[in-house]
PDB file of all heavy atoms in Angstrom:
ATOM      1  N   MET A   1       0.832  -1.196   0.000  1.00 80.00           N
ATOM      2  CA  MET A   1       0.000   0.000   0.000  1.00 80.00           C
ATOM      3  C   MET A   1       0.881   1.266   0.000  1.00 80.00           C
ATOM      4  O   MET A   1       0.642   2.201  -0.770  1.00 80.00           O
ATOM      5  CB  MET A   1      -0.925   0.012   1.212  1.00 80.00           C
ATOM      6  CG  MET A   1      -2.021  -1.051   1.157  1.00 80.00           C
ATOM      7  SD  MET A   1      -3.141  -0.801  -0.250  1.00 80.00           S
ATOM      8  CE  MET A   1      -3.859   0.790   0.187  1.00 80.00           C
ATOM      9  N   ILE A   2       1.889   1.264   0.846  1.00 78.00           N
ATOM     10  CA  ILE A   2       2.802   2.412   0.899  1.00 78.00           C
ATOM     11  C   ILE A   2       3.531   2.562  -0.447  1.00 78.00           C
ATOM     12  O   ILE A   2       3.674   3.681  -0.972  1.00 78.00           O
ATOM     13  CB  ILE A   2       3.817   2.247   2.046  1.00 78.00           C
ATOM     14  CG1 ILE A   2       3.105   2.258   3.392  1.00 78.00           C
ATOM     15  CG2 ILE A   2       4.864   3.355   2.001  1.00 78.00           C
ATOM     16  CD1 ILE A   2       4.018   2.010   4.572  1.00 78.00           C
ATOM     17  N   HIS A   3       3.964   1.431  -0.964  1.00 77.00           N
ATOM     18  CA  HIS A   3       4.694   1.413  -2.232  1.00 77.00           C
ATOM     19  C   HIS A   3       3.861   2.031  -3.357  1.00 77.00           C
ATOM     20  O   HIS A   3       4.337   2.940  -4.066  1.00 77.00           O
ATOM     21  CB  HIS A   3       5.060  -0.043  -2.576  1.00 77.00           C
ATOM     22  CG  HIS A   3       5.689  -0.207  -3.926  1.00 77.00           C
ATOM     23  ND1 HIS A   3       7.000   0.140  -4.176  1.00 77.00           N
ATOM     24  CD2 HIS A   3       5.179  -0.685  -5.093  1.00 77.00           C
ATOM     25  CE1 HIS A   3       7.280  -0.120  -5.442  1.00 77.00           C
ATOM     26  NE2 HIS A   3       6.192  -0.627  -6.016  1.00 77.00           N
ATOM     27  N   MET A   4       2.627   1.575  -3.522  1.00 82.00           N
ATOM     28  CA  MET A   4       1.775   2.045  -4.607  1.00 82.00           C
ATOM     29  C   MET A   4       1.389   3.516  -4.426  1.00 82.00           C
ATOM     30  O   MET A   4       1.328   4.279  -5.402  1.00 82.00           O
ATOM     31  CB  MET A   4       0.519   1.182  -4.719  1.00 82.00           C
ATOM     32  CG  MET A   4       0.789  -0.238  -5.199  1.00 82.00           C
ATOM     33  SD  MET A   4       1.731  -0.302  -6.772  1.00 82.00           S
ATOM     34  CE  MET A   4       0.590   0.558  -7.878  1.00 82.00           C
ATOM     35  N   ILE A   5       1.129   3.918  -3.210  1.00 85.00           N
ATOM     36  CA  ILE A   5       0.755   5.321  -2.961  1.00 85.00           C
ATOM     37  C   ILE A   5       1.921   6.254  -3.304  1.00 85.00           C
ATOM     38  O   ILE A   5       1.741   7.264  -3.996  1.00 85.00           O
ATOM     39  CB  ILE A   5       0.313   5.516  -1.491  1.00 85.00           C
ATOM     40  CG1 ILE A   5      -1.027   4.825  -1.251  1.00 85.00           C
ATOM     41  CG2 ILE A   5       0.203   7.009  -1.158  1.00 85.00           C
ATOM     42  CD1 ILE A   5      -1.437   4.784   0.213  1.00 85.00           C
ATOM     43  N   LEU A   6       3.109   5.879  -2.841  1.00 84.00           N
ATOM     44  CA  LEU A   6       4.271   6.741  -3.070  1.00 84.00           C
ATOM     45  C   LEU A   6       4.626   6.850  -4.554  1.00 84.00           C
ATOM     46  O   LEU A   6       4.832   7.948  -5.071  1.00 84.00           O
ATOM     47  CB  LEU A   6       5.473   6.214  -2.284  1.00 84.00           C
ATOM     48  CG  LEU A   6       5.499   6.548  -0.789  1.00 84.00           C
ATOM     49  CD1 LEU A   6       6.700   5.896  -0.123  1.00 84.00           C
ATOM     50  CD2 LEU A   6       5.555   8.051  -0.571  1.00 84.00           C
ATOM     51  N   ILE A   7       4.699   5.720  -5.246  1.00 84.00           N
ATOM     52  CA  ILE A   7       5.107   5.800  -6.662  1.00 84.00           C
ATOM     53  C   ILE A   7       4.002   6.425  -7.507  1.00 84.00           C
ATOM     54  O   ILE A   7       4.289   7.076  -8.524  1.00 84.00           O
ATOM     55  CB  ILE A   7       5.518   4.416  -7.218  1.00 84.00           C
ATOM     56  CG1 ILE A   7       4.324   3.458  -7.316  1.00 84.00           C
ATOM     57  CG2 ILE A   7       6.653   3.813  -6.409  1.00 84.00           C
ATOM     58  CD1 ILE A   7       4.646   2.182  -8.083  1.00 84.00           C
ATOM     59  N   THR A   8       2.739   6.273  -7.103  1.00 88.00           N
ATOM     60  CA  THR A   8       1.652   6.916  -7.846  1.00 88.00           C
ATOM     61  C   THR A   8       1.708   8.430  -7.681  1.00 88.00           C
ATOM     62  O   THR A   8       1.523   9.175  -8.651  1.00 88.00           O
ATOM     63  CB  THR A   8       0.284   6.393  -7.377  1.00 88.00           C
ATOM     64  OG1 THR A   8       0.225   4.974  -7.583  1.00 88.00           O
ATOM     65  CG2 THR A   8      -0.851   7.056  -8.152  1.00 88.00           C
ATOM     66  N   VAL A   9       1.974   8.889  -6.470  1.00 89.00           N
ATOM     67  CA  VAL A   9       2.102  10.330  -6.218  1.00 89.00           C
ATOM     68  C   VAL A   9       3.266  10.906  -7.026  1.00 89.00           C
ATOM     69  O   VAL A   9       3.142  11.953  -7.679  1.00 89.00           O
ATOM     70  CB  VAL A   9       2.295  10.607  -4.708  1.00 89.00           C
ATOM     71  CG1 VAL A   9       2.689  12.066  -4.488  1.00 89.00           C
ATOM     72  CG2 VAL A   9       1.024  10.294  -3.944  1.00 89.00           C
ATOM     73  N   LEU A  10       4.403  10.221  -7.010  1.00 88.00           N
ATOM     74  CA  LEU A  10       5.566  10.682  -7.768  1.00 88.00           C
ATOM     75  C   LEU A  10       5.297  10.658  -9.267  1.00 88.00           C
ATOM     76  O   LEU A  10       5.726  11.563 -10.001  1.00 88.00           O
ATOM     77  CB  LEU A  10       6.788   9.812  -7.441  1.00 88.00           C
ATOM     78  CG  LEU A  10       7.409  10.006  -6.063  1.00 88.00           C
ATOM     79  CD1 LEU A  10       8.459   8.931  -5.787  1.00 88.00           C
ATOM     80  CD2 LEU A  10       8.042  11.395  -5.947  1.00 88.00           C
ATOM     81  N   TYR A  11       4.583   9.645  -9.712  1.00 90.00           N
ATOM     82  CA  TYR A  11       4.222   9.533 -11.129  1.00 90.00           C
ATOM     83  C   TYR A  11       3.348  10.705 -11.559  1.00 90.00           C
ATOM     84  O   TYR A  11       3.582  11.322 -12.611  1.00 90.00           O
ATOM     85  CB  TYR A  11       3.519   8.204 -11.369  1.00 90.00           C
ATOM     86  CG  TYR A  11       2.926   8.043 -12.746  1.00 90.00           C
ATOM     87  CD1 TYR A  11       3.743   8.011 -13.882  1.00 90.00           C
ATOM     88  CD2 TYR A  11       1.547   7.907 -12.922  1.00 90.00           C
ATOM     89  CE1 TYR A  11       3.200   7.852 -15.144  1.00 90.00           C
ATOM     90  CE2 TYR A  11       0.999   7.746 -14.181  1.00 90.00           C
ATOM     91  CZ  TYR A  11       1.825   7.720 -15.288  1.00 90.00           C
ATOM     92  OH  TYR A  11       1.289   7.572 -16.544  1.00 90.00           O
ATOM     93  N   LEU A  12       2.351  11.042 -10.754  1.00 92.00           N
ATOM     94  CA  LEU A  12       1.451  12.157 -11.078  1.00 92.00           C
ATOM     95  C   LEU A  12       2.189  13.495 -11.039  1.00 92.00           C
ATOM     96  O   LEU A  12       1.925  14.382 -11.860  1.00 92.00           O
ATOM     97  CB  LEU A  12       0.268  12.169 -10.108  1.00 92.00           C
ATOM     98  CG  LEU A  12      -0.695  10.975 -10.223  1.00 92.00           C
ATOM     99  CD1 LEU A  12      -1.771  11.053  -9.134  1.00 92.00           C
ATOM    100  CD2 LEU A  12      -1.340  10.934 -11.608  1.00 92.00           C
ATOM    101  N   ILE A  13       3.121  13.633 -10.095  1.00 92.00           N
ATOM    102  CA  ILE A  13       3.940  14.852 -10.042  1.00 92.00           C
ATOM    103  C   ILE A  13       4.775  14.985 -11.311  1.00 92.00           C
ATOM    104  O   ILE A  13       4.881  16.077 -11.894  1.00 92.00           O
ATOM    105  CB  ILE A  13       4.847  14.841  -8.796  1.00 92.00           C
ATOM    106  CG1 ILE A  13       4.009  15.000  -7.529  1.00 92.00           C
ATOM    107  CG2 ILE A  13       5.883  15.967  -8.875  1.00 92.00           C
ATOM    108  CD1 ILE A  13       4.804  14.838  -6.239  1.00 92.00           C
ATOM    109  N   SER A  14       5.355  13.881 -11.757  1.00 92.00           N
ATOM    110  CA  SER A  14       6.183  13.888 -12.971  1.00 92.00           C
ATOM    111  C   SER A  14       5.359  14.273 -14.198  1.00 92.00           C
ATOM    112  O   SER A  14       5.792  15.091 -15.012  1.00 92.00           O
ATOM    113  CB  SER A  14       6.826  12.521 -13.190  1.00 92.00           C
ATOM    114  OG  SER A  14       7.683  12.194 -12.125  1.00 92.00           O
ATOM    115  N   LEU A  15       4.173  13.666 -14.329  1.00 93.00           N
ATOM    116  CA  LEU A  15       3.305  14.005 -15.468  1.00 93.00           C
ATOM    117  C   LEU A  15       2.886  15.470 -15.416  1.00 93.00           C
ATOM    118  O   LEU A  15       2.822  16.142 -16.454  1.00 93.00           O
ATOM    119  CB  LEU A  15       2.071  13.104 -15.472  1.00 93.00           C
ATOM    120  CG  LEU A  15       2.277  11.642 -15.879  1.00 93.00           C
ATOM    121  CD1 LEU A  15       0.947  10.919 -15.915  1.00 93.00           C
ATOM    122  CD2 LEU A  15       2.967  11.535 -17.242  1.00 93.00           C
ATOM    123  N   THR A  16       2.584  15.953 -14.227  1.00 93.00           N
ATOM    124  CA  THR A  16       2.200  17.364 -14.080  1.00 93.00           C
ATOM    125  C   THR A  16       3.340  18.284 -14.502  1.00 93.00           C
ATOM    126  O   THR A  16       3.121  19.289 -15.199  1.00 93.00           O
ATOM    127  CB  THR A  16       1.806  17.663 -12.620  1.00 93.00           C
ATOM    128  OG1 THR A  16       0.738  16.805 -12.234  1.00 93.00           O
ATOM    129  CG2 THR A  16       1.365  19.121 -12.472  1.00 93.00           C
ATOM    130  N   LEU A  17       4.570  17.932 -14.101  1.00 92.00           N
ATOM    131  CA  LEU A  17       5.729  18.720 -14.492  1.00 92.00           C
ATOM    132  C   LEU A  17       5.903  18.738 -16.008  1.00 92.00           C
ATOM    133  O   LEU A  17       6.191  19.784 -16.600  1.00 92.00           O
ATOM    134  CB  LEU A  17       6.989  18.149 -13.839  1.00 92.00           C
ATOM    135  CG  LEU A  17       7.250  18.532 -12.383  1.00 92.00           C
ATOM    136  CD1 LEU A  17       8.459  17.769 -11.853  1.00 92.00           C
ATOM    137  CD2 LEU A  17       7.480  20.028 -12.258  1.00 92.00           C
ATOM    138  N   ILE A  18       5.731  17.589 -16.630  1.00 93.00           N
ATOM    139  CA  ILE A  18       5.865  17.501 -18.086  1.00 93.00           C
ATOM    140  C   ILE A  18       4.828  18.383 -18.773  1.00 93.00           C
ATOM    141  O   ILE A  18       5.128  19.109 -19.728  1.00 93.00           O
ATOM    142  CB  ILE A  18       5.733  16.039 -18.558  1.00 93.00           C
ATOM    143  CG1 ILE A  18       6.924  15.215 -18.068  1.00 93.00           C
ATOM    144  CG2 ILE A  18       5.640  15.960 -20.081  1.00 93.00           C
ATOM    145  CD1 ILE A  18       6.785  13.724 -18.278  1.00 93.00           C
ATOM    146  N   ILE A  19       3.588  18.333 -18.281  1.00 93.00           N
ATOM    147  CA  ILE A  19       2.522  19.151 -18.875  1.00 93.00           C
ATOM    148  C   ILE A  19       2.813  20.637 -18.705  1.00 93.00           C
ATOM    149  O   ILE A  19       2.657  21.432 -19.647  1.00 93.00           O
ATOM    150  CB  ILE A  19       1.158  18.784 -18.245  1.00 93.00           C
ATOM    151  CG1 ILE A  19       0.764  17.357 -18.640  1.00 93.00           C
ATOM    152  CG2 ILE A  19       0.070  19.776 -18.685  1.00 93.00           C
ATOM    153  CD1 ILE A  19      -0.427  16.827 -17.876  1.00 93.00           C
ATOM    154  N   VAL A  20       3.248  21.032 -17.498  1.00 93.00           N
ATOM    155  CA  VAL A  20       3.564  22.446 -17.237  1.00 93.00           C
ATOM    156  C   VAL A  20       4.713  22.922 -18.129  1.00 93.00           C
ATOM    157  O   VAL A  20       4.635  23.996 -18.746  1.00 93.00           O
ATOM    158  CB  VAL A  20       3.914  22.654 -15.748  1.00 93.00           C
ATOM    159  CG1 VAL A  20       4.481  24.051 -15.518  1.00 93.00           C
ATOM    160  CG2 VAL A  20       2.687  22.436 -14.880  1.00 93.00           C
ATOM    161  N   ILE A  21       5.780  22.119 -18.216  1.00 92.00           N
ATOM    162  CA  ILE A  21       6.932  22.481 -19.049  1.00 92.00           C
ATOM    163  C   ILE A  21       6.531  22.539 -20.517  1.00 92.00           C
ATOM    164  O   ILE A  21       6.960  23.437 -21.256  1.00 92.00           O
ATOM    165  CB  ILE A  21       8.082  21.468 -18.846  1.00 92.00           C
ATOM    166  CG1 ILE A  21       8.602  21.542 -17.411  1.00 92.00           C
ATOM    167  CG2 ILE A  21       9.223  21.743 -19.816  1.00 92.00           C
ATOM    168  CD1 ILE A  21       9.572  20.428 -17.064  1.00 92.00           C
ATOM    169  N   PHE A  22       5.681  21.594 -20.929  1.00 92.00           N
ATOM    170  CA  PHE A  22       5.213  21.554 -22.318  1.00 92.00           C
ATOM    171  C   PHE A  22       4.431  22.819 -22.662  1.00 92.00           C
ATOM    172  O   PHE A  22       4.637  23.435 -23.717  1.00 92.00           O
ATOM    173  CB  PHE A  22       4.343  20.312 -22.533  1.00 92.00           C
ATOM    174  CG  PHE A  22       3.699  20.248 -23.888  1.00 92.00           C
ATOM    175  CD1 PHE A  22       4.415  19.818 -24.986  1.00 92.00           C
ATOM    176  CD2 PHE A  22       2.370  20.628 -24.061  1.00 92.00           C
ATOM    177  CE1 PHE A  22       3.823  19.759 -26.241  1.00 92.00           C
ATOM    178  CE2 PHE A  22       1.780  20.578 -25.303  1.00 92.00           C
ATOM    179  CZ  PHE A  22       2.503  20.139 -26.395  1.00 92.00           C
ATOM    180  N   ILE A  23       3.504  23.218 -21.791  1.00 92.00           N
ATOM    181  CA  ILE A  23       2.681  24.410 -22.040  1.00 92.00           C
ATOM    182  C   ILE A  23       3.547  25.668 -22.085  1.00 92.00           C
ATOM    183  O   ILE A  23       3.370  26.529 -22.956  1.00 92.00           O
ATOM    184  CB  ILE A  23       1.582  24.538 -20.963  1.00 92.00           C
ATOM    185  CG1 ILE A  23       0.570  23.390 -21.102  1.00 92.00           C
ATOM    186  CG2 ILE A  23       0.865  25.887 -21.076  1.00 92.00           C
ATOM    187  CD1 ILE A  23      -0.442  23.322 -19.981  1.00 92.00           C
ATOM    188  N   ARG A  24       4.485  25.769 -21.140  1.00 90.00           N
ATOM    189  CA  ARG A  24       5.376  26.939 -21.116  1.00 90.00           C
ATOM    190  C   ARG A  24       6.243  27.002 -22.368  1.00 90.00           C
ATOM    191  O   ARG A  24       6.457  28.082 -22.944  1.00 90.00           O
ATOM    192  CB  ARG A  24       6.261  26.907 -19.872  1.00 90.00           C
ATOM    193  CG  ARG A  24       5.515  27.132 -18.567  1.00 90.00           C
ATOM    194  CD  ARG A  24       6.453  27.253 -17.390  1.00 90.00           C
ATOM    195  NE  ARG A  24       7.308  28.411 -17.517  1.00 90.00           N
ATOM    196  CZ  ARG A  24       8.255  28.741 -16.627  1.00 90.00           C
ATOM    197  NH1 ARG A  24       8.449  27.969 -15.559  1.00 90.00           N
ATOM    198  NH2 ARG A  24       9.002  29.815 -16.801  1.00 90.00           N
ATOM    199  N   PHE A  25       6.727  25.843 -22.818  1.00 89.00           N
ATOM    200  CA  PHE A  25       7.538  25.803 -24.025  1.00 89.00           C
ATOM    201  C   PHE A  25       6.703  26.154 -25.257  1.00 89.00           C
ATOM    202  O   PHE A  25       7.163  26.894 -26.137  1.00 89.00           O
ATOM    203  CB  PHE A  25       8.157  24.418 -24.196  1.00 89.00           C
ATOM    204  CG  PHE A  25       8.999  24.283 -25.427  1.00 89.00           C
ATOM    205  CD1 PHE A  25      10.280  24.823 -25.464  1.00 89.00           C
ATOM    206  CD2 PHE A  25       8.518  23.629 -26.556  1.00 89.00           C
ATOM    207  CE1 PHE A  25      11.065  24.711 -26.603  1.00 89.00           C
ATOM    208  CE2 PHE A  25       9.294  23.523 -27.693  1.00 89.00           C
ATOM    209  CZ  PHE A  25      10.570  24.058 -27.720  1.00 89.00           C
ATOM    210  N   LYS A  26       5.473  25.655 -25.300  1.00 88.00           N
ATOM    211  CA  LYS A  26       4.586  25.936 -26.431  1.00 88.00           C
ATOM    212  C   LYS A  26       4.302  27.430 -26.534  1.00 88.00           C
ATOM    213  O   LYS A  26       4.277  27.999 -27.628  1.00 88.00           O
ATOM    214  CB  LYS A  26       3.274  25.156 -26.258  1.00 88.00           C
ATOM    215  CG  LYS A  26       2.384  25.163 -27.494  1.00 88.00           C
ATOM    216  CD  LYS A  26       1.172  24.275 -27.277  1.00 88.00           C
ATOM    217  CE  LYS A  26       0.303  24.266 -28.533  1.00 88.00           C
ATOM    218  NZ  LYS A  26      -0.899  23.412 -28.342  1.00 88.00           N
ATOM    219  N   ASN A  27       4.095  28.084 -25.383  1.00 89.00           N
ATOM    220  CA  ASN A  27       3.872  29.533 -25.383  1.00 89.00           C
ATOM    221  C   ASN A  27       5.140  30.288 -25.772  1.00 89.00           C
ATOM    222  O   ASN A  27       5.078  31.337 -26.421  1.00 89.00           O
ATOM    223  CB  ASN A  27       3.403  29.992 -24.000  1.00 89.00           C
ATOM    224  CG  ASN A  27       2.010  29.493 -23.663  1.00 89.00           C
ATOM    225  OD1 ASN A  27       1.186  29.259 -24.552  1.00 89.00           O
ATOM    226  ND2 ASN A  27       1.734  29.309 -22.384  1.00 89.00           N
ATOM    227  N   LYS A  28       6.287  29.741 -25.369  1.00 84.00           N
ATOM    228  CA  LYS A  28       7.562  30.395 -25.650  1.00 84.00           C
ATOM    229  C   LYS A  28       7.860  30.451 -27.139  1.00 84.00           C
ATOM    230  O   LYS A  28       8.359  31.465 -27.646  1.00 84.00           O
ATOM    231  CB  LYS A  28       8.693  29.668 -24.910  1.00 84.00           C
ATOM    232  CG  LYS A  28      10.054  30.317 -25.073  1.00 84.00           C
ATOM    233  CD  LYS A  28      11.110  29.564 -24.273  1.00 84.00           C
ATOM    234  CE  LYS A  28      12.476  30.218 -24.408  1.00 84.00           C
ATOM    235  NZ  LYS A  28      13.508  29.500 -23.599  1.00 84.00           N
ATOM    236  N   ILE A  29       7.563  29.374 -27.846  1.00 84.00           N
ATOM    237  CA  ILE A  29       7.927  29.330 -29.264  1.00 84.00           C
ATOM    238  C   ILE A  29       6.874  29.967 -30.173  1.00 84.00           C
ATOM    239  O   ILE A  29       7.021  29.951 -31.389  1.00 84.00           O
ATOM    240  CB  ILE A  29       8.205  27.882 -29.731  1.00 84.00           C
ATOM    241  CG1 ILE A  29       6.937  27.025 -29.677  1.00 84.00           C
ATOM    242  CG2 ILE A  29       9.329  27.257 -28.935  1.00 84.00           C
ATOM    243  CD1 ILE A  29       7.114  25.682 -30.368  1.00 84.00           C
ATOM    244  N   LYS A  30       5.823  30.527 -29.575  1.00 83.00           N
ATOM    245  CA  LYS A  30       4.830  31.244 -30.394  1.00 83.00           C
ATOM    246  C   LYS A  30       5.464  32.447 -31.083  1.00 83.00           C
ATOM    247  O   LYS A  30       4.998  32.883 -32.140  1.00 83.00           O
ATOM    248  CB  LYS A  30       3.656  31.687 -29.525  1.00 83.00           C
ATOM    249  CG  LYS A  30       2.682  30.569 -29.172  1.00 83.00           C
ATOM    250  CD  LYS A  30       1.511  31.095 -28.343  1.00 83.00           C
ATOM    251  CE  LYS A  30       0.524  29.959 -28.033  1.00 83.00           C
ATOM    252  NZ  LYS A  30      -0.609  30.437 -27.198  1.00 83.00           N
ATOM    253  N   SER A  31       6.500  32.996 -30.472  1.00 80.00           N
ATOM    254  CA  SER A  31       7.182  34.153 -31.054  1.00 80.00           C
ATOM    255  C   SER A  31       8.181  33.753 -32.135  1.00 80.00           C
ATOM    256  O   SER A  31       8.748  34.621 -32.818  1.00 80.00           O
ATOM    257  CB  SER A  31       7.903  34.942 -29.962  1.00 80.00           C
ATOM    258  OG  SER A  31       8.863  34.128 -29.300  1.00 80.00           O
ATOM    259  N   ILE A  32       8.412  32.447 -32.284  1.00 80.00           N
ATOM    260  CA  ILE A  32       9.369  31.957 -33.279  1.00 80.00           C
ATOM    261  C   ILE A  32       8.636  31.662 -34.591  1.00 80.00           C
ATOM    262  O   ILE A  32       7.603  31.005 -34.599  1.00 80.00           O
ATOM    263  CB  ILE A  32      10.082  30.685 -32.778  1.00 80.00           C
ATOM    264  CG1 ILE A  32      10.913  31.010 -31.537  1.00 80.00           C
ATOM    265  CG2 ILE A  32      10.975  30.110 -33.866  1.00 80.00           C
ATOM    266  CD1 ILE A  32      11.551  29.788 -30.909  1.00 80.00           C
ATOM    267  N   LYS A  33       9.183  32.145 -35.666  1.00 81.00           N
ATOM    268  CA  LYS A  33       8.590  31.899 -36.973  1.00 81.00           C
ATOM    269  C   LYS A  33       9.226  30.667 -37.604  1.00 81.00           C
ATOM    270  O   LYS A  33      10.447  30.578 -37.728  1.00 81.00           O
ATOM    271  CB  LYS A  33       8.788  33.108 -37.889  1.00 81.00           C
ATOM    272  CG  LYS A  33       8.100  32.965 -39.235  1.00 81.00           C
ATOM    273  CD  LYS A  33       8.277  34.217 -40.084  1.00 81.00           C
ATOM    274  CE  LYS A  33       7.571  34.055 -41.425  1.00 81.00           C
ATOM    275  NZ  LYS A  33       7.747  35.257 -42.280  1.00 81.00           N
ATOM    276  N   PHE A  34       8.378  29.726 -38.002  1.00 82.00           N
ATOM    277  CA  PHE A  34       8.848  28.524 -38.679  1.00 82.00           C
ATOM    278  C   PHE A  34       8.625  28.695 -40.182  1.00 82.00           C
ATOM    279  O   PHE A  34       7.518  29.014 -40.619  1.00 82.00           O
ATOM    280  CB  PHE A  34       8.113  27.293 -38.153  1.00 82.00           C
ATOM    281  CG  PHE A  34       8.504  26.931 -36.741  1.00 82.00           C
ATOM    282  CD1 PHE A  34       7.873  27.526 -35.655  1.00 82.00           C
ATOM    283  CD2 PHE A  34       9.508  26.010 -36.500  1.00 82.00           C
ATOM    284  CE1 PHE A  34       8.233  27.211 -34.360  1.00 82.00           C
ATOM    285  CE2 PHE A  34       9.881  25.681 -35.211  1.00 82.00           C
ATOM    286  CZ  PHE A  34       9.242  26.283 -34.131  1.00 82.00           C
ATOM    287  N   HIS A  35       9.665  28.462 -40.948  1.00 80.00           N
ATOM    288  CA  HIS A  35       9.646  28.791 -42.372  1.00 80.00           C
ATOM    289  C   HIS A  35       9.375  27.555 -43.234  1.00 80.00           C
ATOM    290  O   HIS A  35       9.780  26.443 -42.907  1.00 80.00           O
ATOM    291  CB  HIS A  35      10.974  29.417 -42.777  1.00 80.00           C
ATOM    292  CG  HIS A  35      11.270  30.694 -42.051  1.00 80.00           C
ATOM    293  ND1 HIS A  35      10.941  31.935 -42.535  1.00 80.00           N
ATOM    294  CD2 HIS A  35      11.859  30.918 -40.846  1.00 80.00           C
ATOM    295  CE1 HIS A  35      11.315  32.866 -41.677  1.00 80.00           C
ATOM    296  NE2 HIS A  35      11.881  32.271 -40.641  1.00 80.00           N
ATOM    297  N   SER A  36       8.722  27.797 -44.345  1.00 79.00           N
ATOM    298  CA  SER A  36       8.385  26.728 -45.289  1.00 79.00           C
ATOM    299  C   SER A  36       9.546  26.495 -46.247  1.00 79.00           C
ATOM    300  O   SER A  36      10.515  27.261 -46.293  1.00 79.00           O
ATOM    301  CB  SER A  36       7.135  27.108 -46.085  1.00 79.00           C
ATOM    302  OG  SER A  36       7.392  28.246 -46.885  1.00 79.00           O
TER     303      SER A  36
END
């Protein structure tokens, strides 16, 4: 029970971090022009 609770909490924290970093990066590159 302790094992599953701890790794699940850490897993959700990791996914949340990835989502936050992804959103911040996506907003950051809006100012970058991608050329054809």
Side-chain angles (χ1 to χ4, degrees):
M1 291 297 296
I2 296 176
H3 174 76
M4 291 306 299
I5 290 171
L6 281 177
I7 68 170
T8 300
V9 169
L10 288 171
Y11 172 64
L12 293 176
I13 291 173
S14 298
L15 287 184
T16 302
L17 279 174
I18 293 170
I19 293 170
V20 170
I21 295 171
F22 174 80
I23 293 172
R24 291 187 64 181
F25 179 77
K26 191 175 181 181
N27 291 332
K28 183 178 181 179
I29 66 169
K30 283 182 178 179
S31 60
I32 296 175
K33 184 178 180 181
F34 290 86
H35 299 267
S36 64

